[in-house]
Amino acid sequence: MDIDYNLIQRAQMLLTLEHPLPQVRDILLREGYPQKQVVELMDATEEVLNYLVPPQYDEHKIGIDILHPGEKAEGHKPTVDILIDKRSGKMELMTPHQPETWRVANEVRKAIKRQRQGIKYFH
C-alpha cells in the first residue's frame, strides 16, 4: 500500500518529539489520516524500532523486561526496559516514558545499594 507522504512526515515529527507509538497512532487518527495507512505505518515503525531499540548486551549486562499496564502477557514481545551493567551497577532506562520503568529502576537501585553495603561488611 502507498502511504501518504504527509502522513509519514507527521509521524516522524511526532516520534521526534518523543511521543510513544500508541499516542502517535491516536494523534494521526484524530487528525483524519486514513486508518488503514496509519495502522500499516505504525506497525512497520514498531517492527523497525523493535530491531533498532533493544541494546546490545553481553555477559556483563542484564536486561529487564517489564510488563506495563495495558499489555497482555500473551503475545507480549520481550523488550528490554532497563539495562544494568553487572560490574558498575549503572542503569540505562530504555523506556523512560513509562512510569513503571522508573518504579522498577528505583527498586533495583535500592537492592544494589543494599547488596553493596552488605559486601562492605564482609571485607
Side-chain angles (χ1 to χ4, degrees):
M1 170 186 278
D2 288 333
I3 297 177
D4 180 10
Y5 182 70
N6 291 326
L7 168 61
I8 295 170
Q9 283 189 312
R10 179 71 173 133
Q12 286 174 333
M13 185 189 73
L14 292 169
L15 290 169
T16 302
L17 296 172
E18 298 187 12
H19 289 289
L21 279 178
Q23 188 178 16
V24 171
R25 181 183 313 240
D26 293 342
I27 291 170
L28 294 172
L29 290 172
R30 270 187 273 135
E31 291 179 353
Y33 290 102
Q35 182 173 356
K36 198 170 187 177
Q37 287 186 23
V38 170
V39 170
E40 185 176 339
L41 178 62
M42 291 296 99
D43 288 348
T45 303
E46 183 176 31
E47 190 174 320
V48 168
L49 290 176
N50 282 339
Y51 285 109
L52 297 177
V53 171
Q56 296 297 319
Y57 51 96
D58 53 25
E59 68 274 3
H60 301 294
K61 295 185 180 179
I62 300 170
I64 298 177
D65 178 24
I66 302 168
L67 188 62
H68 298 281
E71 290 181 339
K72 294 181 178 157
E74 300 169 8
H76 172 73
K77 293 179 186 175
T79 57
V80 175
D81 292 296
I82 301 172
L83 190 63
I84 305 168
D85 186 300
K86 289 181 184 179
R87 293 171 286 181
S88 68
K90 181 182 178 230
M91 271 192 260
E92 185 176 349
L93 304 182
M94 306 310 295
T95 55
H97 58 279
Q98 298 278 1
E100 296 75 27
T101 302
W102 288 95
R103 285 189 209 116
V104 171
N106 286 334
E107 291 302 318
V108 170
R109 281 186 189 104
K110 289 177 194 174
I112 290 172
K113 187 176 179 181
R114 282 193 301 265
Q115 184 180 20
R116 287 192 173 164
Q117 287 174 346
I119 291 172
K120 289 178 186 175
Y121 294 124
F122 291 115
H123 289 281

